[in-house]
Amino acid sequence: MLKREEHMDKKHYSFYDMVKNWTVSDFRTPGIKAEVIVDMLISDFIVDLIQYHYWDREQYTARLLTKELPVKLFPKEGEEEISEENNRNAKVDYLVSVGNEKLVLVELKTTNDSYVNKQEERMKEAVKRGPDELLKFYEKIAGRKKGNSSDRMKYKISFGQYQETLSAASLSREGFKELDYLYISLTDYNRLPEGKKLILEDYCRNGVKYKGFSSWLMNDEKGEKRNQLWEKVSDILLECAGKPVK
């Protein structure tokens, strides 16, 4: 007969396998947005991944400031002004701070087809114009009095959380001097710009950065548990990528 601890452990792994199968199945189902699934899987590790990515160059704490950040569209020469509605719908997945002076626009991708040159051009333009203009535009969108009431409420809530995060970390909009952009992708492919990509497969079991990242997670107060969780999450990511752990 199984001891209680062994029985619970068996139940735990049965539940994990069930969730894993559901997740991978949904990831491969047409019509279901794969980025949403990957976002769900890495949400608890997004800051760790980005901080580890930049650590060799910039040994600063990273913080997730907000998700679904609106980024202003600028018309090319000779084009008409972009409507407010289109501006509001142009977003990047995450805004992350690295230290007290740097912001990073982070876009999540899962396939080669989901990469769009126009999106990178938009992020490059935002980088060129700098963090102050980016954050002023976010404040403007969050403070809109007209338009879809549901969207306005969501922006109001997310902007409030963004302000709370800044305050808790003693950060200020005026303090940010640099803006960068980064793609997070499940696997690598040739359309992603060199030097602007974080490949999740590299951080999963047998990946080139797996051991280093696992050691990094162990530095956390709950390092062992987080490391175990990442092991499970990374195995699901590999299944989604079609490269299951043998």
Side-chain angles (χ1 to χ4, degrees):
M1 182 179 291
L2 286 173
K3 294 181 180 179
R4 184 174 185 275
E5 292 81 1
E6 292 173 336
H7 179 65
M8 291 299 291
D9 192 54
K10 186 176 180 181
K11 284 179 67 177
H12 166 78
Y13 282 106
S14 294
F15 178 73
Y16 165 76
D17 287 337
M18 179 177 67
V19 171
K20 180 180 179 180
N21 290 335
W22 283 346
T23 303
V24 174
S25 176
D26 280 354
F27 182 87
R28 295 172 179 170
T29 300
I32 294 180
K33 196 171 182 182
E35 278 88 354
V36 174
I37 293 173
V38 176
D39 170 67
M40 174 196 70
L41 290 170
I42 69 171
S43 279
D44 194 45
F45 296 96
I46 186 71
V47 169
D48 297 289
L49 287 162
I50 292 174
Q51 188 163 323
Y52 186 79
H53 174 80
Y54 281 104
W55 191 252
D56 287 344
R57 289 163 286 171
E58 303 172 56
Q59 297 183 8
Y60 297 114
T61 300
R63 293 179 178 85
L64 176 61
L65 300 183
T66 193
K67 298 174 76 171
E68 295 297 315
L69 176 79
V71 177
K72 188 173 183 179
L73 297 171
F74 294 94
K76 294 181 179 179
E77 189 174 346
E79 292 182 343
E80 295 182 0
E81 281 293 317
I82 309 294
S83 70
E84 278 200 13
E85 187 67 20
N86 285 336
N87 258 320
R88 184 167 55 82
N89 291 329
K91 305 169 189 171
V92 294
D93 292 315
Y94 313 100
L95 177 66
V96 176
S97 64
V98 180
N100 297 335
E101 297 186 357
K102 181 170 185 171
L103 292 175
V104 185
L105 299 170
V106 183
E107 185 65 20
L108 182 61
K109 295 296 173 193
T110 54
T111 66
N112 197 29
D113 293 335
S114 65
Y115 172 82
V116 181
N117 282 329
K118 284 185 178 180
Q119 188 177 54
E120 186 183 6
E121 289 174 7
R122 184 170 76 242
M123 290 194 291
K124 282 182 176 179
E125 186 64 32
V127 167
K128 178 182 174 182
R129 292 173 182 266
D132 191 57
E133 188 162 343
L134 177 85
L135 297 179
K136 282 181 178 177
F137 179 69
Y138 183 28
E139 185 173 353
K140 177 183 176 182
I141 291 294
R144 287 186 68 200
K145 304 297 183 184
K146 297 180 180 180
N148 184 285
S149 59
S150 176
D151 282 350
R152 284 190 287 114
M153 180 58 68
K154 289 176 184 177
Y155 274 121
K156 183 178 179 180
I157 292 171
S158 64
F159 187 74
Q161 292 170 339
Y162 150 80
Q163 289 181 309
E164 289 175 7
T165 302
L166 288 183
S167 177
S170 299
L171 298 172
S172 68
R173 188 188 78 191
E174 295 75 18
F176 294 116
K177 308 299 181 186
E178 183 184 354
L179 185 59
D180 196 7
Y181 73 96
L182 179 72
Y183 284 99
I184 294 181
S185 177
L186 185 55
T187 56
D188 200 359
Y189 46 88
N190 56 14
R191 296 181 69 185
L192 287 173
E194 288 298 328
K196 300 292 184 183
K197 57 186 178 181
L198 185 160
I199 308 303
L200 290 171
E201 183 184 355
D202 291 343
Y203 292 77
C204 296
R205 201 192 302 253
N206 300 328
V208 294
K209 296 187 177 181
Y210 177 71
K211 288 185 178 180
F213 186 60
S214 294
S215 297
W216 166 274
L217 290 175
M218 290 298 290
N219 293 326
D220 188 89
E221 184 179 336
K222 299 179 180 178
E224 188 171 346
K225 289 184 178 180
R226 284 178 56 70
N227 198 23
Q228 290 173 353
L229 179 59
W230 176 250
E231 183 179 299
K232 298 302 178 186
V233 167
S234 68
D235 284 354
I236 297 176
L237 289 170
L238 286 175
E239 285 276 2
C240 290
K243 301 179 181 180
V245 177
K246 303 295 184 183

